[in-house]
Amino acid sequence: MRNIFKFACAALLGMTLATSCIEEVDPTSVATDPQILGSSQAQAALVSGIPATMNEYSSFSANGYHYAFGYSSIGIMLDLMCNDMSTPAHYYEWYDAWFTNQYLGQDYVYAQYVWTYLTGLLFNINNVIGVVEPINTEAKHYLGIAHAYRAMARLDIGQMYEFKANPYTDSIQKGVNIEGLTIPDLRENMTEDDTRNNPRITKEALLEDIKADLDLAIEYLDGYARTQPSYPTLAVAYGLKARMHLWEENYAAAKEAAQMAITLSGCTPLTETQWTDPKTGFNDYDSNNSWMWATSLTSESNLVKTSLLNFSSWMATETNFGYAGINGGGCYRTADAKFYDRIPNSDFRKKSWVPKSNSKLEVKFLDGFSAENVPALASIKFRPGQGEPSDYLIAAATDYPLMRVEEMYLIVAECDARNGDSSSIESFMTTYRNPNYTCLATTPEELVEEVLFQKRVELWGEGRIFYDYKRLALPINRYYEGTNHHEQAQFNVFDGVAPWFNFSAVRTERENNHAFVNNPDPSDTVALYDEDGIK
């Protein structure tokens, strides 16, 4: 395992960041001159800075932090914090803090990067909303894009930083009960005085802000036909609304919004051929009718040119250059053994991982690759671009899904399950995933758990399932007979939310925003099991 200590010591903070000082994010990616108000070309350039920030090459990237490549990297962190993704934790592993629950407090670069990146993303979105006015149809569409992105960002950040009580960390910090608090009010046109005295707001207050964003996104995106997959549509806005209603536990509204997203999108779930295609599997928006929203990298992207700081490097096992590749760092992303064993062979999604040695499951590898090349249960869900294993300018120039229609089907299924109705999950599974599927759940609680398991299988590696883990306090079970989790990550948490699900902001946020009260450091708060099964 990589020497964590040397990086953690180097990470002790010397940089200043508050909600008023987020200009650290690359200022060249977004224009902010108020003169753009009268220029549609300038407005288009301003809006294009938002998806550019999703794949950001920043000062962190340039300084050699190999997880510093934007939104898709945050997704990898989130998946590794849950239960379904494991890793051998090779010496070159840069994500070890997130799966070993170490060095996640306010004084380390891990907290700094996540907070800096996500608040910087919001800062760039706010630049658009603060300058563009809905004076014509084109401007309304630009604003609709920005409000949808802001709803997404607020949803994600709010859930990550919302403090949820747990047996491991104290909810009273500096005399303040922080339970239910999320993030400071991060909006357009804030003054320096605003940001210097900007307390965290409640979940309920943030939900009102998100609802306002989505109302405007739905209004402004009506009739919009996008020009690239990174721009959200009306269907995406309803999909975000479904996610929002899940967070607030309004399941009737979540179902209605998800059904609207399915209808408006015209999308259909991936077929087995599309899912398992060695050349286009989970790397190409245009090769399927499932992806509702995506970000894209081209061969001209700085992240692609690094060869290492991109999603393919870390998630495409069939590469010869990346960290996950057989000739690279060997930082394989593997399925949790119990999770994998629960998936029947008749479900084609099981072909997303290298089968165990005694398995009769046939999976499609790129030419020159086989199960003998990599460990059992290593992911082959995410293929290198165009099926190219060696030329990183091609292999890493891929698309990354931000929303798939399958998520909407599974939101509907969860909402129905809460009423004891299994018809939605049975229909989805038998029609699109496993013709032999039978739902054996007999109570609403069991049915919800079954739907969530299918959602975990469906969205593995896509950075989404963390929000369900935290929302519902799903258990962490990494220590068991036959576990394939690294010995420094073998935690079991069955009593409430895992403490590392409550993200800590960087220390300098408090130093510059005097009303800010941080979440406690979750690091090392849950004891590991030893070889005898004793904490």
Side-chain angles (χ1 to χ4, degrees), residues 148 214 217-219 221 233-245 253-254 256-262 264 292 403 408 411:
L214 289 175
I218 288 169
E219 176 185 349
L221 290 174
T233 62
L234 185 61
V236 168
Y238 276 102
L240 291 168
K241 194 172 184 180
R243 289 178 181 175
M244 176 196 70
H245 286 310
E256 182 180 0
Q259 288 175 322
M260 183 66 75
I262 293 168
L264 290 172
M292 297 170 62
M403 184 181 291
M408 299 299 113
I411 289 174

Side-chain angles (χ1 to χ4, degrees), residues 17 19 22 114-124 157 186:
L17 175 69
T19 51
I22 304 170
V114 175
W115 182 257
T116 302
Y117 172 72
L118 291 173
T119 54
L121 174 62
L122 263 175
F123 177 83
N124 281 357
I157 303 170
L186 302 174

Side-chain angles (χ1 to χ4, degrees), residues 101 163-171 476 491-500 520-527 529 535:
N101 189 31
F163 184 83
K164 299 193 76 169
N166 62 88
Y168 305 96
T169 55
D170 195 344
S171 60
I476 300 296
F491 307 106
N492 286 345
V493 178
F494 299 127
D495 46 352
V497 172
W500 56 85
D521 184 353
S523 306
D524 300 311
T525 53
V526 180
Y529 286 77
K535 278 191 177 183

